Amino acid sequence: MDQAIDIEGAVKRYGTVTALHGVSLSIADNEFFTLLGPSGCGKTTLLRMIAGFEDITAGEIRLFGQNIARLEPNQRPVNTVFQQYALFPHMTVIENVGFGLKMKGFDATQRKARAGQMLEMVHLSDYADRRPSQLSGGQQQRVALARALAPEPKVLLLDEPLSALDLKLRQAMRVELKQLQEDTGITFIFVTHDQEEALTMSDRIAVMSSGRVQQIGTARDIYETPVNRFVADFIGETNLLEVTVSKADGDTAEVILPGGHHLICPAAGARLGQQHLSIRPERLRLAHGAGQLSATVQRVVYLGTDLHVMLVLEGGTQLVARLQNSRQLSAPEAGAHVFLDLDDGAARLLAD
Amino acid sequence: MKGVRHYPGFLSITLLCLVVLYGPLLVVTAYSFNGSTSITQWGGFSLRWYIDVFTGPEAPRFRSAAWNSLTIAIMAAISATMIATAAALAMMRAGRFRGKSLTFALINLPLMVPEIVTAVATLIFFSMIGLTTGYLTILLAHITFCIPFAYLPIAARLQGIDDSYEQAARDLYASRTQSFFLILLPLMAPGVISGFLLAFIISLDDFIITNFVKGAGMETLPTAIFGSVKLGIKPNIMAISTLMLGVSVLFVTLSYLINRKGRQSP
C-alpha cells in the first residue's frame, strides 16, 4: 500500500544557506505524525514544502504515490492550519469554512450543509454568522480547523496551531485534536517545538535539528531509546555525562564515569573511548546501604509530585535525580552522603 | 511626567502656527460670503458670489474648466491607482529581485523632483515626440505624477497584511487570480481607496505641470482661476476657491475615515 506521504531526499537551499539537507521520511495513512524540533531546525520549511508554499530545491514528495513536489498549492489535496489561523477577516465564520468548498466548485446549498456540519463538529454552530475578530483565540483555532478539514483533504498540515493559546486551552485542545484525527481518519502532520505536545498526541514523532531528521519513532522510542546526544538532550530532562568506554562486548559495555565509577550499560556495537552517557533523572533511585554510585546531596527542590535532588558524584560530576514524592520517601537533606542505584537500562550510550 | 502643554512657549507657538496655516483659509472662506464687491470690506452675508460662479460672466469658462479638471482627475486617479497597486504588489509580494531598491527609488523619486523641473521636462518630452498639447497631455502628465501619491497608502496597507491570508486561500484551492480578487484586494481596499482619493486631490489641484502641458485654449480649474486672478482678484475667486477647499477636505476626510475603519478589521 502507498504511504500517505513519502518524502525522498528533500533539500531546501536559500542562496548559500541550506535549510534542509536531504530529508527522507514516510508517513502512513491515518497517522498522527509530528515534526518536532527547536526553531530553525527546518520543520516548518518541510511542512510548507508539503503544502506548496516553498519550492523544493531537490527531492521528491509523494502523496499516495503521486509526486506533488512541483504542483501549485491549490493543486495539492492537502490543507493547512496556520499558526496565526489566517482566517479571512472580511468573511463570516461560515464563509471562511465554506471557502475551500467554493473554490472546489460546490454550490451554495452543498457548501452550507457541509460547512454547517464542520462547525457542529467543532462546537461552533452558534457562531456561523460572526466575524473571526468577534471570536476568542480558542474559537478561532477551531474555525481554522473546520476550514481546513471541510474540503476533505487527504492530509492535514498543522503549523504550531496551539502556540497562540494559553496553557489551559492548549492542554484541552491536545485531547480534542487527537480525537478529531481519530474521528476523521485523516493523516495529520503536526509541527511543534513543544515536546509535551508531541509526546501526548503523536503516533510517531520525527525529531529534527539543523535541517536533518535525527530520529523517527513513537513517543516511547524517542524518550527511552534516543539515538544520539541531541535527541536525548532535547526530549525531556537528562543527565549527560562524558564517559570512557573501557570494554565493549556483544550487547553490553562497561563505562568509566569521570569520578572513577564503573557502570554496565546496554550498547550494541559501542566503540571504545570517549562517549556521552544519558541517564534520565527519574531512573535514578536512592539505594539503601551500598549502591552503584555514591554522591553528596547539594540541594533538594520540592515540586509537589516530585522532588528534584541535585547531586555531586565523587570526582565532581553533577547529576540530577527526580524522586517521586510519596509517603514512603524519606527526603534526603542537603549535605548528606547517599548511594544511588540505576534501573536496568537506564544508562544509555549515545552517538554524537 | 509633564504634558506638552506645560513646556514654555507652547501656547504662543501653537497659536502662531495655526494663524499662519489656517488664517488665510479662514479669511478666504469668510469673504466668499461677502455681499460687497470689495475684497477687503465686509458688506454683509450673501451667496451672490457663489451664484456668480455658476451664472456670472465667467461661468462658462469655469464650468468647462471644472469639467476638464474633474474628468482628468478621475481618469488619472484610476490609472495611477491601478499602476500603483501593481507596483506595491511587486515590491511587497514578489520576494527579492534584481533592482528592487532601484525600483523603489524610481517609484518615489517624483515626490522629490522639483515640480517645475518635471513640468519643463514633460513639456519638452511631449514636443519631442510630437504630441500636441491639450487634454491628452494633461491626462498623461497627471497619471504620471499621481502614481507615487497613490502608491504610499497602498504599499503601507499591503505591508500590514500578513501573506498567510493569500497562502490560506491558495491552500484552499484558490488560483492566483481568485486569491487576489477574493482575499487580497478586499483586505487592501482601504489603502487602495485612500490612494485613489489622494491621487484624485493631487490631480485636481495641480497647477504648475498642468499650466506647462495644457496648450492654448485648454483650461483646468486651477489654471482658469489663475487666469482670472491675473485680471484682478474678484470675490467670485474666493467663492470658487472655497468650493475647491470643500471638495478637498471632503476627500481627505473620506480617505482618513476609510483607512481608520480598515485598520480596525484585520
Side-chain angles (χ1 to χ4, degrees), chain B:
Chain B
M1 217 172 85
K2 279 165 80 175
V4 67
R5 284 161 197 279
H6 298 285
Y7 282 88
F10 169 77
L11 192 67
S12 45
I13 292 173
T14 307
L15 283 178
L16 182 69
C17 290
L18 287 177
V19 167
V20 170
L21 285 171
Y22 295 107
L25 288 179
L26 281 178
V27 170
V28 165
T29 309
Y31 272 79
S32 70
F33 296 105
N34 191 356
S36 97
T37 46
S38 158
I39 57 162
T40 49
Q41 266 178 337
W42 183 253
F45 179 84
S46 154
L47 289 176
R48 63 183 282 201
W49 298 115
Y50 286 91
I51 297 164
D52 184 77
V53 165
F54 291 101
T55 59
E58 289 185 290
R61 186 168 169 225
F62 283 145
R63 203 175 302 133
S64 82
W67 177 252
N68 289 338
S69 272
L70 194 69
T71 52
I72 286 173
I74 289 174
M75 285 191 282
I78 291 176
S79 314
T81 305
M82 287 183 350
I83 296 169
T85 304
L89 285 173
M91 294 301 291
M92 304 285 163
R93 284 299 194 265
R96 285 192 298 187
F97 55 88
R98 270 178 72 119
K100 189 168 176 176
S101 337
L102 184 68
T103 312
F104 182 76
L106 286 177
I107 293 172
N108 289 293
L109 202 59
L111 296 175
M112 279 159 269
V113 174
E115 204 182 340
I116 186 72
V117 176
T118 310
V120 172
T122 312
L123 178 63
I124 293 172
F125 173 73
F126 285 142
S127 84
M128 275 170 73
I129 62 169
L131 208 53
T132 321
T133 51
Y135 191 89
L136 181 66
T137 49
I138 301 177
L139 179 61
L140 290 175
H142 279 218
I143 292 174
T144 316
F145 71 70
C146 281
I147 291 172
F149 290 97
Y151 177 82
L152 289 176
I154 296 174
R157 175 76 190 170
L158 188 54
Q159 196 162 33
I161 301 174
D162 198 283
D163 58 6
S164 64
Y165 294 115
E166 295 138 88
Q167 284 169 2
R170 299 277 283 135
D171 188 58
L172 293 162
Y173 313 104
S175 66
R176 276 176 204 278
T177 320
Q178 284 171 322
S179 126
F180 176 72
F181 283 105
L182 296 176
I183 304 300
L184 192 56
L185 195 57
L187 295 180
M188 286 171 73
V192 173
I193 295 169
S194 273
F196 170 84
L197 294 176
L198 197 56
F200 180 85
I201 288 297
I202 295 292
S203 162
L204 196 68
D205 79 2
D206 178 75
F207 174 74
I208 301 178
I209 294 176
T210 313
N211 202 33
F212 271 69
V213 300
K214 72 186 175 62
M218 188 69 193
E219 299 286 3
T220 64
L221 213 41
T223 64
I225 291 172
F226 183 72
S228 180
V229 166
K230 273 199 293 194
L231 308 171
I233 303 179
K234 282 196 299 165
N236 65 345
I237 294 304
M238 300 204 204
I240 201 166
S241 301
T242 306
L243 287 173
M244 280 189 80
L245 180 65
V247 171
S248 293
V249 169
L250 180 74
F251 274 68
V252 171
T253 311
L254 273 181
S255 158
Y256 170 76
L257 288 178
I258 288 167
N259 240 336
R260 196 179 60 169
K261 186 168 176 291
R263 248 198 302 280
Q264 283 162 354
S265 53

Side-chain angles (χ1 to χ4, degrees), chain A residues 7-20:
Chain A
I7 298 170
E8 229 177 82
V11 175
K12 178 70 191 178
R13 270 192 289 270
Y14 299 99
T16 53
V17 182
T18 305
L20 286 177

